[in-house]
Amino acid sequence: MLLGAGAEPGLAVRVGDEELDREALWSAAAAVAGRIAGADAVAVHGEASLRTVVAVVGGLLAGVPVVPVPADSGCAERRHIVRDSGAALWLGRPQEGVDLPVLPVDPSERSCRSLPEPAPETTALIMYTSGTTGPPKGVVLSRRAVAADLDALADAWSWTGDDVLVHGLPLFHVHGLVLGLLGALRVGSPLLHTVRPAPAAYAAAARAIEGLDRRGRHRSGLFFGVPTVWSRIVRDGSAARDLAGARLLVSGSAALPDPVAEGLRAATGHAPVERYGMTESLITLAARADAPRRTGWVGTALAGVESRLRGEHGEPVASDGESIGELQVRGATLFDGYLGLPQATAAAWTGDGWFRTGDAAVRDERGWHRVVGRMSVDMIKSGGYRIGAGEVEAVLLGHPAVHEAAVVGEPDDDLGQRIVAYLVGDGIDPAAVVDFVAARLSVHKRPREVRLVGSLPRNAMGKVQKKLLDGTRR
Ligand code: MLC
Ligand code: AMP
């Protein structure tokens, strides 16, 4: 069973003030499953709500591929995801720009229908993620890959039903949805979702764990966050103190700056563990809960995963803790390909069957990894969100006042990287351009800063030389 339906009764998920116990969740999801059975795929509005939880679980019970759609997506991105995925129905609150039949989801509905468990090779999720160019690609993830990843993480972190999982991450990406929701359901630990990952909300959830005993035994807290969340918690001293009783703090989705890790240790008494992954590979590397903490290192390969480093021409790179190469992985957690894009899928693998992450890393003799950056300047991580520069540039070029555009990620104390757009044009209103992007792509893909320039530095081939743009430190 992908979702551990055999887990103990009791609280399954609380989102904000609303909650469902396991029986109610399965029963509400079975009602959804009954209505969508046989559909090619269903799109789910990824807002942070019980509706989303019920819709996703319903899709998985029915064996229908679930396509999570970012809750903050603009019309163009939403339309692309819905069309490209072949979704037949929209589950959740209706959204502008979606021309699909809408199936409202009611968490209070009940059905006792039981459905056979779909085969492990069937698609669980189609998750959209940015490349360096073009619109987001649909990453096809099988039930087998999801189950393998969650089991390997449970092993690495000694994650059991005695833990209460707390986070407030978006329910439309791997971190919040696959680990944060499906992980909790598979392992059988209640999830307290805080709607937004705000420091005060994490602190309140930490206090609420006290009231969630398990057969008279104390529950322990497992907390997930992206580095921006941990950095905000460190800055909010009182929230950090409430996390002192947690069992484990986990950081991922972007590099955790050493000062944030150290600040967290000082304020909570806990050094966080890091883990590394991608939408395409799910989580592949993690620091084990029982291993000594190593600030700045993301951990070792999970059970069922292998890793290696390769140089620019495919040559092996030494695992000496210093030499940098492209991180490549293979194993049970990998995706089945980009939906409808055989060439992009083929290009993602090496000739000998390893997935090319596009991340630059070092590995030491003990198999620990440190991620040192991206191989491409066109892949940006801002607040833990992955954003392709090309996708934002294409939208900017659609604005009537913009003639040329170059988008880069610049270092940012809060977001890790912030999106900066260098624009050449006539009478550009920076605020209007930012709104133009936010309304078409996702709000989190909007430039945080616009710099108007007379021209962009280009090489003899006419390609923009992003490394020469003022203000960039790459
Ligand atoms: C601002 N807003 C606008 C706007 N400007 N809306 C429309 N148009 C504009 N021009 C609004 C937003 O809608 C939002 O509203 C509010 O302003 C705040 O926006 P923000 O500044 O972008 O958000 P912020 O609070 O700073 O977000 C920080 C954050 C967020 C950390 C909470 O970045 C986040 O949730 N990150 C998690 C990303 C993640 O989960 N990545 C995992 C990928 S999977 P409102 O109303 O909504 O407040 C992966 C694999 C792995 O990477 O390894 O895990
Ligand atoms: P996404 O596809 O949104 O899942 O983003 C995947 C990318 O996030 C990876 O290719 C990395 O660049 C980055 N990433 C994820 N986890 C970490 C981490 N622990 N440290 C550094 N980068 C990370």
Side-chain angles (χ1 to χ4, degrees):
M1 287 271 179
L2 177 58
L3 295 184
E8 278 183 34
L11 176 66
V13 180
R14 184 182 294 166
V15 183
D17 297 331
E18 296 182 317
E19 63 180 47
L20 285 174
D21 64 27
R22 288 192 83 88
E23 197 187 334
L25 170 56
W26 253 256
S27 171
V32 170
R35 291 211 201 88
I36 64 173
D40 288 341
V42 290
V44 172
H45 178 46
E47 64 178 357
S49 74
L50 279 187
R51 272 189 296 271
T52 305
V53 172
V54 169
V56 170
V57 176
L60 294 173
L61 287 184
V64 173
V66 171
V67 184
V69 182
D72 67 343
S73 58
C75 288
E77 185 168 333
R78 202 181 296 133
R79 205 174 288 131
H80 165 70
I81 294 174
V82 164
R83 291 197 181 144
D84 188 74
S85 64
L89 289 166
W90 177 267
L91 270 52
R93 290 192 297 136
Q95 299 295 305
E96 197 193 343
V98 176
D99 50 3
L100 287 180
V102 174
L103 186 77
V105 177
D106 177 3
S108 66
E109 206 176 346
R110 300 288 174 261
S111 162
C112 52
R113 175 192 285 258
S114 74
L115 295 122
E117 176 75 3
E121 297 312 317
T122 53
T123 299
L125 296 160
I126 306 171
M127 305 198 85
Y128 278 76
T129 195
S130 301
T132 50
T133 57
K137 300 190 281 280
V139 172
V140 179
L141 291 162
S142 68
R143 300 173 78 91
R144 170 193 45 74
V146 170
D149 205 48
L150 297 177
D151 290 349
L153 287 173
D155 168 57
W157 297 332
S158 309
W159 182 7
T160 70
D162 282 342
D163 288 306
V164 176
L165 177 64
V166 176
H167 73 87
L169 298 168
L171 292 177
F172 48 80
H173 280 318
V174 161
H175 198 160
L177 182 66
V178 179
L179 277 58
L181 174 64
L182 306 186
L185 295 175
R186 183 166 175 87
V187 167
S189 55
L191 166 64
L192 302 185
H193 191 281
T194 61
V195 182
R196 297 291 301 242
Y202 274 42
R207 296 191 296 271
I209 292 173
E210 303 288 321
L212 297 173
D213 270 10
R214 188 190 204 208
R215 285 171 287 149
R217 291 214 309 277
H218 180 65
R219 298 261 198 181
S220 55
L222 172 62
F223 289 73
F224 288 173
V226 297
T228 301
V229 171
W230 295 124
S231 154
R232 291 179 183 185
I233 285 175
V234 169
R235 272 183 283 141
D236 179 326
S238 83
R241 281 190 291 279
D242 278 315
L243 300 190
R247 183 177 73 79
L248 195 64
L249 311 182
V250 183
S251 181
S253 301
L256 182 68
D258 289 357
V260 176
E262 294 305 334
L264 213 48
R265 187 202 293 262
T268 65
H270 293 281
V273 291
E274 274 203 76
R275 93 294 177 289
Y276 159 93
M278 293 182 74
T279 307
E280 290 90 334
S281 65
L282 299 177
I283 306 309
T284 48
L285 310 174
R288 296 183 63 87
D290 56 9
R293 302 289 189 270
R294 292 180 75 187
T295 302
W297 293 77
V298 297
T300 51
L302 289 179
V305 175
E306 292 170 274
S307 70
R308 72 179 190 184
L309 299 182
R310 285 292 180 267
E312 220 180 313
H313 306 290
E315 71 281 9
V317 170
S319 291
D320 56 10
E322 284 176 15
S323 305
I324 298 174
E326 183 190 20
L327 176 64
Q328 301 183 352
V329 292
R330 68 176 179 191
T333 67
L334 282 164
F335 71 135
D336 290 340
Y338 296 112
L339 186 70
L341 297 169
Q343 282 179 346
T345 302
W349 265 274
T350 63
D352 57 349
W354 292 71
F355 174 69
R356 309 184 53 162
T357 66
D359 285 305
V362 303
R363 206 174 96 132
D364 72 5
E365 302 79 358
R366 291 184 283 155
W368 279 73
H369 302 72
R370 212 153 54 80
V371 178
V372 297
R374 290 287 312 177
M375 305 297 280
S376 165
V377 295
D378 287 326
M379 194 69 91
I380 301 166
K381 265 274 160 165
S382 187
Y385 285 117
R386 168 168 152 187
I387 299 137
E391 188 189 352
V392 182
E393 286 159 1
V395 170
L396 288 167
L397 290 171
H399 189 284
V402 175
H403 300 163
E404 293 176 53
V407 165
V408 295
E410 295 197 6
D412 186 277
D413 285 345
D414 182 44
L415 298 169
Q417 285 185 299
R418 73 174 173 284
I419 304 177
V420 178
Y422 286 84
L423 303 178
V424 179
D426 260 338
I428 295 174
D429 170 358
V433 164
V434 169
D435 290 342
F436 186 79
V437 175
R440 284 161 181 77
L441 300 178
S442 289
V443 167
H444 64 259
K445 294 181 178 172
R446 71 191 188 279
R448 302 289 173 134
E449 202 179 324
V450 170
R451 295 197 188 134
L452 303 178
V453 290
S455 64
L456 296 175
R458 292 182 184 273
N459 65 13
M461 310 293 288
K463 189 171 164 7
V464 177
Q465 304 274 276
K466 291 194 174 178
K467 291 199 165 85
L468 299 182
L469 285 167
D470 286 341
T472 55
R473 275 179 274 150
R474 271 159 291 110

